[in-house]
């Protein structure tokens, strides 16, 4: 990813409707997860993989001690300088931690950037404690593929069954909840991506080329945030949404041999 894009992302993570709504959906659901496991009053140990410009580590800190890791060295330095966080430069496919360390292992929109996504999930499982939780989000449906995915260095977008297969490769735990989300805005986003692909075919893109470049603070940003965040009401009741722009998946490690 271009270095200027991280600087752009720092602001987007804190202001763009998609990032802010995703943050609230994730935070609300983690509260539910911890309450289910009677961990709501415990300072848990959290690994945040692919923390980017750092906002996800900031909001995860409300739940416990957060260890942040980021693959891009420039991003590590930039995020550390901007946020004051200590961020480890490392890879999800070779996590620099012992086995069975973390109560919660998170990777929000990360494994689509990894060619060997099966190895990435295996490493997440390895560093989680027995009965520890894994929580990922990924982009959904290759039909939504656009220059936005190219500029973000994605290898793929997923269907829910493909994510389930990544986690069920070994019988070492169980799914807690899985669902598509950003469902209510799926159709306009799909149409926007298809139109963008047609209009930009064969043309050089200016700027980062990300869909997020269309962001403008104001009333529309607020409306889109409220529409997406509304879906938290379904997710917190474990109501699975049938399709969406993204997927969330939570899993609990249960290795009987440990």
């Amino acid at each position: 990813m271009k270095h200027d894009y991280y600087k752009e992302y720092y602001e987007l993570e804190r202001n763009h409707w998609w990032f802010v709504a995703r943050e609230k959906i994730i935070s609300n659901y983690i509260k539910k997860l911890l309450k289910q496991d009677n961990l709501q009053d415990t300072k848990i140990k959290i690994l945040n993989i692919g923390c980017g410009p750092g906002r996800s580590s900031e909001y995860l800190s409300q739940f416990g001690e957060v260890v942040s890791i980021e693959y891009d060295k420039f991003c590590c330095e930039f995020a550390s300088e901007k946020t004051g966080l200590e961020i480890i430069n490392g890879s999800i496919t070779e996590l620099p931690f012992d086995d069975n360390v973390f109560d919660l292992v998170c990777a929000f929109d990360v494994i689509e950037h990894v060619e060997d996504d099966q190895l990435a999930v295996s490493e997440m499982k390895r560093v989680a404690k027995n009965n520890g939780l894994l929580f990922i989000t990924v982009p959904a449906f290759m039909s939504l593929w656009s220059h936005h995915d190219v500029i973000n260095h994605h290898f793929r977008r997923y269907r829910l069954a493909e994510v389930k297969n990544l986690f069920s490769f070994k019988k070492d735990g169980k799914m807690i909840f899985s669902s598509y989300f950003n469902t209510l805005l799926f159709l306009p986003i799909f149409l926007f991506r298809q139109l963008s692909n047609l209009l930009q075919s064969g043309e050089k893109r200016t700027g980062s080329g990300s869909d997020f470049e269309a962001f403008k603070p104001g009333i529309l940003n607020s409306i889109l945030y409220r529409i997406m965040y509304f879906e938290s009401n379904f997710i917190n009741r474990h109501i699975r949404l049938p399709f969406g722009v993204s997927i969330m998946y939570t899993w609990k490690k249960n290795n009987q041999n440990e």
Side-chain angles (χ1 to χ4, degrees), residues 150-252:
V150 175
I151 200 68
N152 280 283
H153 295 178
H154 293 173
F155 280 94
R156 67 197 72 81
R157 302 178 70 94
Y158 292 85
R159 289 182 178 270
L160 192 52
E162 294 170 328
V163 178
K164 290 179 180 178
N165 287 339
L166 282 176
F167 280 84
S168 61
F169 181 72
K170 290 184 178 180
K171 301 298 182 183
D172 51 359
K174 64 179 181 178
M175 181 190 73
I176 303 300
F177 179 67
S178 64
S179 179
Y180 292 100
F181 69 104
N182 201 358
T183 299
L184 298 175
L185 293 171
F186 180 89
L187 182 58
I189 291 172
F190 173 81
L191 294 174
F192 175 83
R193 294 273 177 98
Q194 296 300 311
L195 182 60
S196 176
N197 287 341
L198 288 173
L199 293 177
Q200 297 294 339
S201 178
E203 296 183 11
K204 186 177 180 179
R205 299 291 291 262
T206 59
S208 70
S210 165
D211 286 358
F212 298 132
E213 281 189 333
F215 167 66
K216 296 290 186 297
I219 187 64
L220 182 59
N221 190 65
S222 178
I223 291 170
L224 293 173
Y225 158 75
R226 290 175 183 276
I227 292 172
M228 182 172 167
Y229 177 55
F230 179 76
E231 296 176 11
S232 187
N233 294 298
F234 300 102
I235 291 166
N236 283 345
R237 291 174 172 81
H238 278 188
I239 299 172
R240 295 179 181 173
L241 301 172
F243 58 89
V245 180
S246 298
I247 293 169
M248 63 185 299
Y249 193 93
T250 52
W251 181 91
K252 175 181 273 193

Side-chain angles (χ1 to χ4, degrees), residues 96-139:
F97 308 106
D98 293 334
D99 299 353
N100 312 311
V101 174
F102 297 98
D103 300 290
L104 174 63
V105 180
C106 301
F108 302 133
D109 290 271
V110 173
I111 67 169
E112 68 272 13
H113 298 270
V114 183
E115 187 169 10
D116 192 344
D117 53 355
Q118 184 69 74
L119 178 58
V121 171
S122 294
E123 276 290 273
M124 292 180 69
K125 290 180 176 183
R126 179 183 67 78
V127 300
K129 293 179 180 178
N130 198 32
N131 293 316
L133 298 165
L134 273 62
F135 188 177
I136 72 166
T137 62
V138 293

